């Protein structure tokens, strides 16, 4: 195992130097940050980009004629170009800035779904969705009479694809599934899902909250209709996200929110909408965080996702082996294809107790249902302890968690 | 009968013996393990305290003008925390419970469990205990 890590050209200690927060001491111990699926830490370049914006060219964008406004507009729009390249979108106006994945999904729900769905239509989601990819569709279902159908999950935490094909029919108008599960790490076969859904004429939305940081995303190759991204899970700032949508669909959709920026002409009799992408970006946007998102994506690209993935996969493999050596531990999520998420339960031990005692060792993990209560019910558990790994994590940190687990379990049992 | 403030002081004294967080948690876990289990009949929806990552059930009764609490949780540390709250508040008059400052929580370094209401729910427990006391107080008047 050690060999695999050493043989990569990847220098994790050099990477760690970019992340100031990793120098933190928690409860007298060096921080071990394993809550990356919740949010990743920020490299210095992102922090600098934020400060630089406010220090040097803070201005409201698009309408200003002065130099600062032009600089701010250029930086804001440069991020759009970077995102376009990052996910290989065909057109830059297919990139809509939102507050995050939750808003991206709600945007599609309240515009596309609300105007296109009618009573008796069906929406397919999966049994491993985050609440943010369940609740908006339930709300739209109540408004339109559309019915929610769920692809079940097997004991390994994989979608049962036979059941998905059973659910597919002409009635299905929308399929919205998560690319990689936040609770289990499972990578879903989204390409297969998208192709099959298109055959029955359904539109497909992919929740890329967890996948974008780990996997290469090519929306043209995937051929998905919508794809949602969260900045803060890709080493970027909080409060900013992306909705990718195919241009023809976005053009046909009504606006989500009304206000400044999203209009062409306003009179009390009639208002006309601005062109894409501005039609969906009402009001002054989150300029600073959008500008800094570019720094995060450039940082990831400069290291290379394939290199990062190799490191994270090695960490996941090592963590999985080490966890399995602990008596009474049960891994939740043993899919063949996984991103670097290790979720587990320990017999006779409540996840919350484990979380508190691991924090006491400086180890930050997430405990609970991870906003996927239906999935936890599927496994008959109230929640799990989840360790999720990022580019800056090390094998030694996993050793600290394992030692902490042994200590905690001994105390708690 | 000791006052609430006196019992709080006792707990603070107990904790002053500990040098490390490990020792503090060992003590709390030990108290959690020793907490008398609640009968299954009490473990029902209306006795659950909301806002906890773990489940806490709590019941109270008024006897001779004093409030007595009993509780249980599926998580041991929470059980330990609730057992301390019971030790401090149980057996006192409603008015005393309502007025209790519960500064010991901060003094023993467990304030983070008050702040993180979503995951730990200590605050919800305190609120529920005080709410019960308020109801008994109102009934007495």
């Amino acid at each position: 195992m050690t060999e695999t890590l050493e043989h990569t050209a990847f220098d994790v200690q050099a990477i760690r130097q970019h992340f100031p927060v990793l120098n933190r001491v928690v409860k007298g111990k060096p921080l071990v940050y394993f809550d990356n699926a919740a949010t990743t830490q920020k490299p210095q370049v992102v922090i600098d980009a934020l400060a630089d914006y406010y220090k040097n060219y803070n201005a409201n964008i698009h309408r200003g004629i002065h130099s600062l406004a032009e600089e701010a507009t250029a930086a804001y729009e440069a991020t759009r170009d970077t995102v376009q390249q990052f996910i290989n979108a065909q057109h830059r106006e297919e990139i809509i800035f939102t507050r995050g994945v939750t808003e991206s999904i709600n945007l599609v729900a309240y515009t596309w779904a609300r105007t296109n769905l009618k009573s008796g239509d069906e929406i397919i989601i999966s049994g491993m969705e985050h609440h943010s990819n369940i609740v908006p569709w339930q709300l739209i279902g109540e408004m339109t009479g559309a019915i929610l159908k769920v692809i079940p999950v097997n004991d390994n935490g994989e979608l049962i694809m036979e059941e998905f094909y059973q659910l597919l029919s002409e009635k299905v108008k929308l399929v919205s599934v998560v690319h990689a599960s936040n609770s289990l790490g499972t990578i879903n076969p989204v390409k297969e899902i998208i192709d099959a859904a298109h055959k029955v004429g359904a539109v497909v939305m992919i929740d890329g909250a967890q996948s974008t940081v780990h996997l290469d995303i090519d929306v043209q190759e995937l051929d998905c209709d919508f794809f949602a991204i969260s900045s803060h899970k890709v080493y970027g700032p909080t409060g900013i996200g992306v909705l990718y949508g195919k241009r023809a669909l976005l053009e046909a959709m009504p606006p989500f929110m009304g206000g400044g920026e999203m209009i062409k002409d306003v009179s009390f009799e009639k208002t006309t909408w601005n062109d894409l992408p501005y039609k969906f970006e009402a009001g002054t946007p989150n300029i600073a965080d959008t500008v800094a998102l570019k720094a995060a994506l450039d940082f990831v690209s400069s290291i290379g996702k394939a290199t990062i993935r190799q490191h994270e996969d090695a960490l996941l493999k090592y963590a999985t082996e080490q966890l399995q050596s602990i008596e009474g531990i049960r891994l939740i999520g043993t899919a063949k294809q996984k991103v670097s998420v290790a979720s587990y339960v320990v017999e006779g031990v409540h996840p919350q107790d484990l979380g508190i005692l691991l924090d006491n060792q400086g180890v930050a993990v997430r405990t609970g249902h991870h906003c996927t209560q239906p999935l936890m019910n599927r496994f008959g558990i109230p929640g799990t302890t989840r360790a999720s790994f990022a580019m800056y994590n090390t094998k030694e940190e996993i050793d600290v968690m394992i030692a902490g687990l042994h200590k905690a379990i001994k105390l708690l049992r | 009968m000791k006052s609430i403030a006196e019992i709080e002081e006792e707990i603070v004294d107990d904790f002053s013996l500990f040098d490390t967080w490990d020792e503090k948690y060992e003590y709390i876990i030990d108290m959690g393990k020793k907490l008398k289990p609640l009968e299954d009949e009490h473990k029902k929806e209306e006795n659950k305290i909301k806002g906890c990552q773990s489940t806490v059930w709590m019941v109270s009764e008024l006897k001779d003008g004093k409030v007595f609490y009993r509780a249980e949780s599926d998580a041991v540390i929470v059980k330990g925390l609730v057992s301390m709250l019971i030790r401090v508040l149980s057996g006192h008059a409603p008015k005393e419970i309502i007025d209790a400052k519960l500064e010991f929580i901060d003094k023993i370094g467990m304030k983070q469990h008050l702040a993180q209401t979503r995951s730990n729910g200590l605050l919800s427990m305190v609120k529920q205990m005080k709410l019960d006391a308020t109801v008994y107080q109102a009934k007495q008047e």
Side-chain angles (χ1 to χ4, degrees):
Chain A
M1 206 52 245
T2 317
E3 286 170 48
T4 320
L5 290 179
E6 280 171 2
H7 284 172
T8 61
F10 185 83
D11 181 356
V12 69
Q13 291 308 327
I15 292 289
R16 290 178 70 83
Q17 300 302 315
H18 291 278
F19 294 85
V21 80
L22 298 179
N23 297 318
R24 269 288 308 262
V25 169
V26 171
K27 301 272 171 69
K29 313 267 167 53
L31 168 69
V32 172
Y33 186 79
F34 283 167
D35 197 15
N36 295 289
T39 195
T40 49
Q41 297 300 343
K42 315 308 169 201
Q44 188 64 49
V45 283
V46 170
I47 300 164
D48 288 347
L50 273 172
D52 182 47
Y53 168 77
Y54 282 121
K55 277 185 197 164
N56 295 312
Y57 58 100
N58 170 50
N60 209 335
I61 55 169
H62 292 142
R63 289 167 302 276
I65 195 79
H66 54 81
S67 298
L68 262 58
E70 278 176 11
E71 286 171 31
T73 303
Y76 180 85
E77 291 301 331
T79 301
R80 203 184 307 274
D81 294 331
T82 301
V83 173
Q84 183 197 347
Q85 289 154 21
F86 201 76
I87 62 171
N88 194 32
Q90 196 177 354
H91 309 285
R92 69 185 310 276
E93 62 269 28
E94 293 177 324
I95 307 301
I96 313 288
F97 291 122
T98 62
R99 278 186 301 151
V101 168
T102 298
E103 187 175 296
S104 296
I105 295 173
N106 275 280
L107 192 159
V108 174
Y110 282 91
T111 58
W112 185 87
R114 201 163 58 94
T115 47
N116 284 284
L117 297 184
K118 56 181 193 311
S119 183
D121 285 347
E122 293 177 359
I123 301 168
I124 295 182
I125 59 170
S126 87
M128 64 175 83
E129 297 309 321
H130 189 280
H131 296 163
S132 60
N133 199 22
I134 303 173
V135 183
W137 310 121
Q138 288 174 328
L139 291 168
I140 292 305
E142 279 172 22
M143 287 178 201
T144 61
I147 302 155
L148 207 56
K149 300 273 177 172
V150 182
I151 313 167
V153 174
N154 69 18
D155 290 343
N156 292 328
E158 295 162 321
L159 294 183
I160 305 175
M161 290 300 283
E162 298 78 31
E163 302 266 358
F164 166 64
Y165 286 108
Q166 291 292 318
L167 290 175
L168 269 184
S169 74
E170 301 289 322
K171 281 190 206 161
V172 177
K173 296 293 184 290
L174 176 76
V175 177
S176 187
V177 290
V178 69
H179 197 173
S181 158
N182 69 314
S183 306
L184 311 174
T186 310
I187 300 171
N188 288 320
V190 288
K191 178 65 186 152
E192 184 184 340
I193 290 171
I194 292 161
D195 289 346
H198 281 168
K199 280 190 186 135
V200 298
V203 159
V204 185
M205 166 137 213
I206 303 297
D207 169 358
Q210 297 295 331
S211 62
T212 309
V213 69
H214 302 291
L215 309 176
D216 298 312
I217 307 296
D218 184 332
V219 289
Q220 292 188 70
E221 197 204 321
L222 283 174
D223 197 27
C224 55
D225 299 288
F226 299 106
F227 193 95
I229 297 170
S230 158
S231 152
H232 73 91
K233 293 188 200 296
V234 197
Y235 307 99
T238 55
I240 182 77
V242 171
L243 171 69
Y244 158 83
K246 281 184 184 163
R247 189 164 68 181
L249 279 168
L250 292 174
E251 275 171 350
M253 278 152 58
F256 180 35
M257 289 190 283
E261 186 75 25
M262 52 76 70
I263 44 82
K264 203 166 257 168
D265 286 299
V266 178
S267 72
F268 288 119
E269 290 71 36
K270 184 170 171 57
T271 294
T272 50
W273 315 132
N274 202 342
D275 298 328
L276 290 176
Y278 311 110
K279 182 171 88 176
F280 293 107
E281 293 179 3
T284 297
N286 184 350
I287 307 165
D289 292 315
T290 307
V291 166
L293 169 59
K294 181 181 190 316
L297 298 181
D298 287 345
F299 180 76
V300 170
S301 297
S302 72
I303 300 161
K305 275 198 197 171
T307 309
I308 297 169
R309 204 157 49 234
Q310 198 182 357
H311 175 70
E312 290 170 342
D313 287 350
L315 290 175
L316 178 66
K317 186 162 178 279
Y318 181 69
T320 304
E321 287 164 3
Q322 293 300 307
L323 285 168
Q324 277 169 333
S325 73
I326 296 175
E327 198 209 322
I329 217 159
R330 177 181 157 209
L331 290 167
I332 305 295
T334 48
K336 282 184 204 83
Q337 301 290 325
K338 275 180 72 171
V339 293
S340 50
V341 170
S343 231
Y344 52 91
V345 290
V346 181
E347 204 188 320
V349 174
H350 197 282
Q352 186 182 347
D353 289 328
L354 269 189
I356 293 171
L357 293 181
L358 285 175
D359 175 62
N360 213 31
Q361 307 296 316
V363 182
V365 292
R366 171 101 1 178
T367 61
H369 53 60
H370 317 298
C371 292
T372 55
Q373 282 179 335
L375 181 65
M376 296 295 113
N377 293 339
R378 154 71 181 80
F379 283 98
I381 50 176
T384 72
T385 302
R386 180 189 71 187
S388 48
F389 311 116
M391 63 163 88
Y392 40 68
N393 290 127
T394 67
K395 182 175 161 285
E396 290 71 25
E397 289 182 312
I398 292 171
D399 292 338
V400 172
M401 177 180 76
I402 298 294
L405 274 173
H406 278 295
K407 198 169 162 183
I409 292 167
K410 204 173 143 203
L411 264 179
L412 291 165
R413 272 195 182 143
Chain B
M1 182 74 201
K2 287 173 191 143
S3 71
I4 287 178
E6 281 166 349
I7 305 170
E8 285 195 49
E9 211 43 54
E10 270 181 17
I11 294 179
V12 173
D13 282 349
D14 287 352
F15 271 79
S16 69
L17 301 172
F18 306 134
D19 295 325
T20 65
W21 284 96
D22 285 356
E23 288 171 321
K24 287 184 187 181
Y25 277 111
E26 259 187 75
Y27 182 79
I28 292 170
I29 289 165
D30 197 43
M31 282 193 292
K33 285 180 178 169
K34 283 180 185 154
L35 185 69
K36 195 173 160 248
L38 205 59
E39 297 79 12
D40 283 345
E41 65 194 78
H42 293 304
K43 291 183 186 174
K44 50 189 176 186
E45 198 58 36
E46 62 252 48
N47 291 333
K48 268 190 194 175
I49 295 181
K50 306 275 183 247
C52 303
Q53 203 180 84
S54 46
T55 310
V56 178
W57 300 270
M58 188 181 282
V59 291
S60 67
E61 59 175 339
L62 187 72
K63 242 190 319 195
D64 306 325
K66 316 267 190 205
V67 188
F68 292 88
Y69 299 95
R70 289 194 303 134
E72 201 182 329
S73 171
D74 51 354
V76 184
I77 293 172
V78 172
K79 248 200 297 196
L81 293 170
V82 83
S83 118
M84 282 197 290
L85 287 174
I86 290 174
R87 179 174 156 197
V88 170
L89 296 178
S90 206
H92 293 278
K95 178 82 171 68
E96 290 174 71
I97 294 167
I98 296 163
D99 293 340
K101 291 200 177 71
L102 301 176
E103 283 163 345
F104 79 100
I105 297 167
D106 193 8
K107 285 182 184 161
I108 64 172
M110 291 293 145
K111 202 184 171 186
Q112 58 159 324
H113 293 292
L114 268 182
Q116 296 171 6
T117 50
R118 249 181 82 177
S119 56
N120 292 293
L122 188 58
L123 191 66
S124 313
M125 287 184 247
V126 172
K127 270 188 188 160
Q128 187 62 51
M129 293 172 101
K130 290 206 170 200
L131 187 66
D132 285 9
T134 310
V135 172
Y136 292 129
Q137 170 86 349
K139 277 185 185 164
Q140 282 180 331
E141 280 166 1

